[in-house]
Amino acid sequence: MTIATILFIIAVIFITQSVKVVPQQHAWVVERLGKYHQTLTPGLSFLMPFIDKVAYKHVLKEIPLDIASQVCITRDNTQLQVDGILYFQVTDAMRASYGSSNYIIAISQLAQTSLRSVIGKLELDKTFEERDIINAQVVQAIDEAALNWGVKVLRYEIKDLTPPKEILHAMQQQITAEREKRALIAASEGRRQEQINIATGEREAFIARSEGEKQAVINKAAGEAASITAVAEATAGAIERIAAAIRQPGGEQAVQLKVAERAVDAYSKVAADATTTLIVPSNMTEVSALIASAMKMVQVQK
């Protein structure tokens, strides 16, 4: 091997050890002689060969971390199988390198213990209703401890809450009973409304019929009153005309003649009836007396 080859190999090693290119969204921790020296940001950087060393490489992107399923006990002593997913991000590469031997395991364990603590304060029904509150409390508990590890916990999401089969069966029965109860209430409300509608319809129909009958009686009475008034007015008019005619010259003689004719007609009708016995007055002056009495009544009316 020639000296030139040896120098070329040394130059390649020198360049490899001294020139570093850090990718975007990454941070590299450099140690000098075993001690923290600096954090390399994205781009081109130069190190001292054989003295500086890239000890840790961190990704600054948001990282999802699957939290293993575990058994949690609620406030009312019910076991729940819970698993979730945690999202975190490295914010301080130096603390992430030296704050914990393995910050991923530390965050995972802390998430499990925090979740058990939060669920232990809630009853079974509340755990299904208040997932957002549980998630927020877990994030708050982890984030306070993760600051020393150079990690920012962004959010935590519960994936599954699985109670025992017995609890699931009881919950299903409760839901079924609640739905049946609602169905019965709805049916009873329907029947009640139907009865109300029928009663209201009958009442309105009765009122309508009574109003119609009342109006019919009023109309009949008004018609009868109008008829009586018309007859009375006609009779009065006729009487006035008769009285006026009597006051004319020769009127009294005409009335006497008319009364005499009516008397003769009456006797004739009685005599024409075979079943009637007619007694003729012996003195015919009684007829003239009858006519004179009628004339006196006419004179009194005048």
Side-chain angles (χ1 to χ4, degrees), residues 44-300:
L44 181 64
S45 300
F46 296 94
L47 303 179
M48 294 183 64
F50 307 107
I51 296 177
D52 294 338
K53 180 185 70 171
V54 177
Y56 299 97
K57 295 181 179 181
H58 298 285
V59 179
L60 303 182
K61 300 177 183 179
E62 183 176 339
I63 301 173
L65 177 62
D66 191 22
I67 305 300
S69 178
Q70 62 175 333
V71 176
C72 300
I73 299 177
T74 62
R75 185 177 179 182
D76 50 357
N77 296 324
T78 302
Q79 292 184 351
L80 285 177
Q81 195 78 20
V82 186
D83 62 349
I85 185 168
L86 182 70
Y87 297 87
F88 71 94
Q89 186 177 24
V90 176
T91 57
D92 190 333
M94 191 271 286
R95 288 190 177 185
S97 301
Y98 303 105
S100 174
S101 60
N102 192 326
Y103 60 85
I104 294 178
I105 295 177
I107 291 175
S108 177
Q109 294 297 320
L110 186 58
Q112 289 182 327
T113 57
S114 300
L115 182 62
R116 286 196 297 267
S117 176
V118 173
I119 290 181
K121 299 176 183 178
L122 300 174
E123 295 181 353
L124 177 62
D125 294 338
K126 293 295 184 180
T127 58
F128 295 98
E129 299 173 2
E130 300 181 357
R131 285 197 177 192
D132 293 338
I133 297 177
I134 296 173
N135 296 336
Q137 292 181 357
V138 170
V139 169
Q140 182 180 1
I142 300 174
D143 199 32
E144 293 176 356
L147 290 176
N148 296 326
W149 305 331
V151 176
K152 173 66 177 177
V153 177
L154 302 177
R155 59 188 180 276
Y156 177 82
E157 297 290 341
I158 295 176
K159 292 195 295 185
D160 291 316
L161 281 172
T162 307
K165 293 182 180 180
E166 296 79 7
I167 300 298
L168 283 175
H169 184 65
M171 292 173 64
Q172 186 63 40
Q173 288 181 335
Q174 182 179 3
I175 294 173
T176 303
E178 185 67 23
R179 289 178 178 175
E180 291 177 352
K181 175 184 175 182
R182 292 178 182 177
L184 291 175
I185 292 174
S188 63
E189 287 292 335
R191 290 192 297 270
R192 173 176 172 272
Q193 190 62 41
E194 180 184 4
Q195 293 174 358
I196 292 174
N197 293 340
I198 292 174
T200 303
E202 292 178 350
R203 180 172 63 86
E204 293 178 354
F206 178 78
I207 292 173
R209 286 195 299 270
S210 63
E211 288 291 336
E213 294 173 356
K214 173 184 175 182
Q215 191 62 40
V217 172
I218 292 173
N219 293 340
K220 182 178 179 181
E224 292 177 353
S227 176
I228 293 173
T229 301
V231 172
E233 290 177 354
T235 303
I239 293 173
E240 289 178 356
R241 287 194 293 272
I242 293 172
I246 292 174
R247 286 193 291 268
Q248 297 295 327
E252 293 183 0
Q253 290 80 3
V255 171
Q256 292 176 1
L257 178 60
K258 191 66 175 177
V259 170
E261 290 177 353
R262 290 290 180 90
V264 172
D265 290 339
Y267 278 111
S268 299
K269 291 180 179 179
V270 171
D273 191 356
T275 60
T276 305
T277 303
L278 178 63
I279 302 174
V280 179
S282 61
N283 189 2
M284 292 300 294
T285 59
E286 293 181 359
V287 176
S288 60
L290 178 62
I291 295 173
S293 298
M295 292 304 299
K296 288 181 179 180
M297 291 179 65
V298 171
Q299 291 175 359
V300 171

